[in-house]
Amino acid sequence: MMKKNFMKKLGLATMTTVAALSLAACGSKANSSSANDKTTTITFWNGFTSTDGDVLKSIVKKYNATNKDHVKINMDIMTWDNYNQKLPTAITAKKAPDFVAMNYGDMASYVANGTMKPMDDFYKQSGVKTSDFQTTARKLGVIDGKTYFIPMQVQGMYLYWNKDLFKKAGLDPNTPPTTWSELATDAKKLATLGNNVQGFVMPKDGGAIFENLLQDNGGALLNSSQKKSALVSPATKKSLEYLQDLIYKEKVGPKNISGAEADNLMLAGSVGMYINGPWLNAGLKKNNINYGISTLVQANKGEKKAILDGVGFGIPVSTDDSKTKAIYSFLKYWNTTEIGKEWSSKNKCAPYLKSVAADPEIKADPLVSTMYKQIGYAKPYYQGNKNISNINTNVVNPLIEKVLAGSDVTSSMKAASKQIDSALKGQ
């Protein structure tokens, strides 16, 4: 499924309430071990509800059965939307889980409200090989010089293409476009196939795609201080006109489609090219789609730009310090070569541990090894900025929807810029 902006359902009132709490209280005592217990039970929430959730369940089960630290994990998996509705309330009620998996885009809001613990000491633990982590992956969890989450999965947006449709359109099925210009040319050829074939699909809620394109064209959402909008620019206009020309004017794909609907079209084998995250791989394989994946297209040949995203482990402030050692036991287990390899190979996502990337089987996997190439140069997006999640949901996605429907680019851009400034002032 196209990755959602998971914070969109969190009301400001809820987060303000969380910020006002006295956060020194301990977590739910129902899950605490008494002094006489040999086993420390810790609770864990996450939103891995797809096939990746099955892999996670297997890893947690194996950890519970084999760890020698006398730790047991009780895991609760729910949809990310439900997770982000429940977690602030749980923290308010002092019933939060002991640790969580948290989306990078959501982390800043929780940190800004004082609801997550710093975790810098994890990298000082015995058995943690800090040098094995890709620097870019470690930086995902850093806000204002402090680490608030430890990597669990890193990802970006990648180009997927249907090899069978490429062949039918007279394109080389083994040579995807490398620039946005080439993508437009190929998309037009693919769209001529008819029979409901879409050359390229741009979801109306595809903020992550637009922001990569904007960055490639030298544009930005915010100025260098991140206190004002930088949206009104030639780069923004160029980026929006590119998408409008492709979808609204050239009609290479539908102009009013959600990410979930776009996913389904790709999984049905009726889309020539699509930009999405690693979670799409499982469905494509299950549906026996003959596809390829490449690093994200660029504005110019040879350039290397991309936005780095991911999921990490975090600890709510309501968790008693006595649980930290048990939590770190699992996090160390997760960040071993064995488990990193299992997660990357089964879920087809880029490794962030160098030892996993160097594994012969991982290097031989064309999907995983291709995605890994992008991890080295991709960078976190507006790191630690609590406003980005809100801006993406309430400004960027509506802007894309208007432009894809044919609205004037310049006036839409200016209106969106004012909205960004209002959002920055209001928060």
Side-chain angles (χ1 to χ4, degrees), residues 111-123:
V111 172
N113 284 282
T115 58
M116 302 302 293
K117 286 185 176 183
M119 301 171 68
D120 298 276
D121 57 338
F122 171 76
Y123 292 108

Side-chain angles (χ1 to χ4, degrees), residues 166-237:
F166 260 55
K167 191 173 182 179
K168 288 181 182 179
L171 298 169
D172 185 345
N174 297 312
T175 306
T178 60
T179 66
W180 291 100
S181 178
E182 290 176 353
L183 185 149
T185 299
D186 290 353
K188 294 171 187 176
K189 290 181 180 179
L190 288 158
T192 63
L193 291 175
N195 296 320
N196 294 317
V197 170
Q198 312 297 328
F200 172 71
V201 177
M202 174 66 192
K204 61 184 179 182
D205 51 358
I209 301 172
F210 166 72
E211 285 159 9
N212 273 283
L213 172 60
L214 178 62
Q215 176 178 270
D216 287 350
N217 284 328
L221 285 182
L222 309 179
N223 67 4
S224 57
S225 69
Q226 299 187 22
K227 294 181 179 180
K228 284 186 67 64
S229 169
L231 196 62
V232 177
S233 71
T236 302
K237 185 177 181 182

